């Protein structure tokens, strides 16, 4: 297979392909799409719209924009077509974004992600070295496509571009951590959250989430809402007490929260 390469996009035709990718990746309705003209304007004024290419075809993109803090960049979207999610395209897009940001004096990048999507959590915390300490209930309001079916709760990922943690995760990732000896905050049976302990004091604790959030959104709105309410309570309480999401384990899907 040809090698994936990443570059900044040029011209309105390539920006139109980003609009198409938004539809293909997330199934978004027209009202949720970032339009071509806005993508062009943001890049003109110091934002980033970059694409991942394989055999000449754009298979993914990343889009971000400046903030009121010149050392902080907001990464609004990263999407890769499902058929190309094993190619390393997403990781290459984030490496490109990091290099691009550092060359402009940016030291931190932030973005939001759904706390119930295990693959995204693992990518953000384990592969990229980001952390999260803020929970944002129904942050975007009702959404379409694969995000329809529950309030749009999000975690805010914080990416410290110059930290040793981030560099190591990107270029010399450590082995998967063991979590069997860590206390777990919540009890889950099947895909149902049953109870949570909000008073644990261990240096590190685990928070379990569903194995297949996409299926729950499609098939069981009541369970999806129950998970939202459960996660608001758990993350909200532990973040308020100074815990930070620092890692993610599989089998089952669990966050690792650490004090401070």
């Amino acid at each position: 297979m040809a090698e994936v390469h990443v570059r900044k996009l040029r011209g309105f035709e390539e920006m139109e392909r980003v609009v198409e990718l938004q539809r293909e990746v997330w199934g978004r309705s027209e009202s949720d799409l970032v339009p071509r003209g806005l993508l062009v304007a943001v890049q003109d004024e110091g934002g980033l719209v970059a694409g991942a290419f394989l055999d000449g075809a754009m298979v993914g993109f990343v889009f971000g924009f400046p903030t009121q803090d010149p050392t902080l960049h907001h990464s609004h979207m990263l999407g890769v077509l499902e058929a190309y999610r094993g190619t390393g395209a997403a990781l290459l897009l984030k490496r490109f974004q990091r290099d691009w940001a550092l060359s402009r004096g940016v030291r931190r990048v932030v973005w939001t992600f759904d706390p119930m999507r295990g693959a995204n959590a693992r990518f953000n915390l384990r592969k990229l070295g980001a952390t999260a300490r803020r929970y944002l209930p129904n942050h975007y309001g009702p959404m379409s496509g694969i995000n329809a079916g529950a309030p749009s709760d999000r975690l805010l990922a914080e990416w410290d571009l110059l930290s040793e943690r981030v560099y190591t995760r990107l270029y010399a990732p450590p082995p998967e951590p063991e979590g069997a000896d860590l206390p777990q905050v919540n009890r889950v049976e099947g895909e149902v959250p049953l109870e949570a302990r909000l008073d644990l004091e261990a240096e590190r604790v685990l928070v379990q989430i569903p194995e297949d959030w996409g299926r729950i959104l499609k098939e069981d709105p009541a369970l999806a809402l129950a998970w939202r309410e459960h996660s608001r309570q758990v993350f909200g309480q532990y973040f308020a007490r100074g815990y930070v999401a620092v890692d993610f384990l599989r089998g089952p899907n669990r966050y690792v929260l650490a004090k401070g």
Side-chain angles (χ1 to χ4, degrees):
M1 183 178 288
E3 184 177 348
V4 176
H5 71 278
V6 177
R7 62 167 172 82
K8 285 184 64 176
L9 299 185
R10 302 182 291 266
F12 70 87
E13 296 94 343
E14 291 190 337
M15 298 304 185
E16 186 60 38
R17 176 57 182 149
V18 171
V19 178
E20 295 170 0
L21 283 171
Q22 292 176 59
R23 293 192 186 97
E24 295 172 36
V25 172
W26 294 294
R28 291 182 164 185
S29 65
E30 201 68 25
S31 63
D32 283 338
L33 297 173
V34 177
R36 176 189 67 204
L38 182 58
L39 293 168
V40 171
V42 169
Q43 182 132 292
D44 285 347
E45 297 303 324
L48 172 66
V49 190
F53 293 83
L54 186 60
D55 291 329
M58 193 190 307
V59 300
F61 73 97
V62 64
F63 163 55
F65 47 82
T67 72
Q68 60 186 349
D69 178 352
T71 69
L72 177 67
H73 178 83
H74 186 97
S75 182
H76 186 54
M77 290 190 296
L78 183 146
V80 174
L81 292 173
E82 186 173 2
Y84 299 93
R85 288 177 191 168
T87 63
L91 184 61
L92 290 173
L93 283 163
K94 294 304 285 188
R95 285 181 178 177
F96 182 91
Q97 185 181 48
R98 177 178 179 269
D99 292 343
W100 175 90
L102 287 173
S103 72
R104 287 157 178 79
V106 174
R107 296 296 178 260
R108 288 192 306 130
V109 176
V110 297
W111 62 90
T112 63
F113 67 99
D114 191 328
M116 296 295 101
R117 292 194 181 274
N120 291 358
R122 185 174 185 275
F123 179 72
N124 292 329
L125 304 182
R126 166 128 285 270
K127 289 194 173 182
L128 299 182
T131 60
R133 69 186 75 226
R134 289 185 61 193
Y135 191 96
L136 308 171
N138 201 23
H139 191 55
Y140 299 109
M143 299 187 76
S144 59
I146 66 170
N147 290 307
S152 55
D153 291 21
R154 295 292 183 265
L155 291 183
L156 180 70
E158 301 178 35
W159 208 26
D160 183 355
L161 302 185
L162 291 176
S163 72
E164 182 179 350
R165 167 191 169 86
V166 167
Y167 186 86
T168 299
R169 292 297 175 93
L170 286 174
Y171 296 104
E176 296 277 347
E178 295 290 338
D181 59 338
L182 297 180
Q184 186 161 309
V185 169
N186 57 342
R187 184 166 67 90
V188 179
E189 288 188 5
E191 294 277 66
V192 180
L194 296 180
E195 61 182 359
R197 293 185 58 189
L198 305 179
D199 59 350
L200 295 179
E201 295 290 348
E203 290 298 311
R204 293 193 169 215
V205 298
L206 302 175
V207 177
Q208 187 172 340
I209 64 169
E211 297 300 300
D212 191 347
W213 177 240
R215 182 193 63 77
I216 292 173
L217 282 178
K218 289 179 182 178
E219 301 176 5
D220 198 335
L223 180 56
L225 183 57
W227 268 110
R228 284 299 197 223
E229 293 171 347
H230 180 79
S231 66
R232 288 174 185 177
Q233 180 186 42
V234 170
F235 286 106
Q237 287 288 335
Y238 277 88
F239 286 168
R241 293 173 52 206
Y243 282 83
V244 181
V246 298
D247 215 331
F248 193 81
L249 310 177
R250 295 183 294 184
N253 284 339
R254 292 163 297 168
Y255 284 87
V256 179
L257 306 187
K259 275 190 176 180

